[in-house]
Amino acid sequence: MNIASPIPVDPTTGNFRPPSSAQDVPRHARLFLALWPAHAENSALLGYQQQWLWPKGSSPVPAERLHLTLHFIGPVERSRLEAVNAGLQVAMTPFELHLTQAAIWPRGLAVLQASTVPEALKELHCRLGKALQALALPVESRPFRPHVTLARRAAGSIAPSAAPALLWQIDSYVLVESLPNAAGGYLIQRSYS
């Protein structure tokens, strides 16, 4: 499933153009592992996001980019992608994630998080961390705080008066590439279940 096309933009016309050479493809892919909402969950997240009052200058996350990051990996040589794709397959138990708490984190990050983190999510995060280490890829040292980012630069935002009650059925995770070109966006490299 493609979230965005990795086609570069022609700087003179602003039109999309296909890569003309290998030089148009970055040598590194900027990667992360995430839970990606299905259509119903994405619609629910977007509906909740649209109930907020966002101050001028805030930047709500576009619908097609709403997700929950499991691990940020960073730049990886494209020559390693096949091995990385294979090495990140780990066992997982399907689970439900109840997103029930809205918050504004430091630096104006508006998030939606779970009041209780399911054990199966903790286990998946841990297994993926071990898989990253086995691939000699970085693992963040900060504690895992599962959340969906709703907006950036959102200090002073007002959350809806009704508490969120979003239920997310999770039976897969994805490896995603952040695209560096002018179109930006995400490209799902692989889905795991």
Side-chain angles (χ1 to χ4, degrees):
M1 167 184 4
N2 289 352
I3 300 306
S5 171
I7 299 173
V9 171
D10 184 320
T12 57
T13 65
N15 296 326
F16 292 110
R17 63 176 168 80
S20 58
S21 70
Q23 294 174 352
D24 285 339
V25 178
R27 196 172 130 203
H28 293 86
R30 191 168 182 258
L31 303 175
F32 64 94
L33 288 159
L35 300 178
W36 210 267
H39 179 72
E41 287 87 0
N42 184 271
S43 293
L45 285 166
L46 183 61
Y48 180 71
Q49 179 195 56
Q50 291 172 343
Q51 295 174 39
W52 282 64
L53 295 176
W54 303 113
K56 186 176 180 178
S58 64
S59 182
V61 174
E64 68 274 9
R65 295 186 188 192
L66 292 168
H67 67 277
L68 187 152
T69 300
L70 294 167
H71 285 277
F72 176 74
I73 300 169
V76 174
E77 289 266 355
R78 289 195 182 276
S79 60
R80 293 192 63 200
L81 284 181
E82 189 174 328
V84 169
N85 281 337
L88 292 175
Q89 176 75 56
V90 300
M92 75 167 289
T93 304
F95 59 93
E96 291 183 346
L97 182 62
H98 297 267
L99 298 170
T100 57
Q101 292 185 328
I104 302 289
W105 284 2
R107 291 184 227 118
L109 200 66
V111 301
L112 186 56
Q113 55 196 0
S115 53
T116 305
V117 180
E119 197 58 41
L121 176 54
K122 293 177 189 175
E123 290 171 6
L124 175 60
H125 182 263
C126 182
R127 286 184 186 125
L128 288 170
K130 290 178 182 175
L132 289 167
Q133 288 175 334
L135 290 162
L137 292 171
V139 178
E140 274 196 81
S141 58
R142 293 183 298 180
F144 180 46
R145 294 173 66 190
H147 65 278
V148 175
T149 299
L150 299 173
R152 292 177 173 75
R153 298 184 300 281
S157 298
I158 301 172
S161 56
L166 290 132
L167 177 61
W168 189 348
Q169 302 288 337
I170 297 170
D171 61 2
S172 64
Y173 60 97
V174 293
L175 177 64
V176 185
E177 179 179 356
S178 292
L179 301 174
N181 60 39
Y186 297 142
L187 175 70
I188 292 182
Q189 290 283 345
R190 182 167 173 184
S191 180
Y192 305 86
S193 54

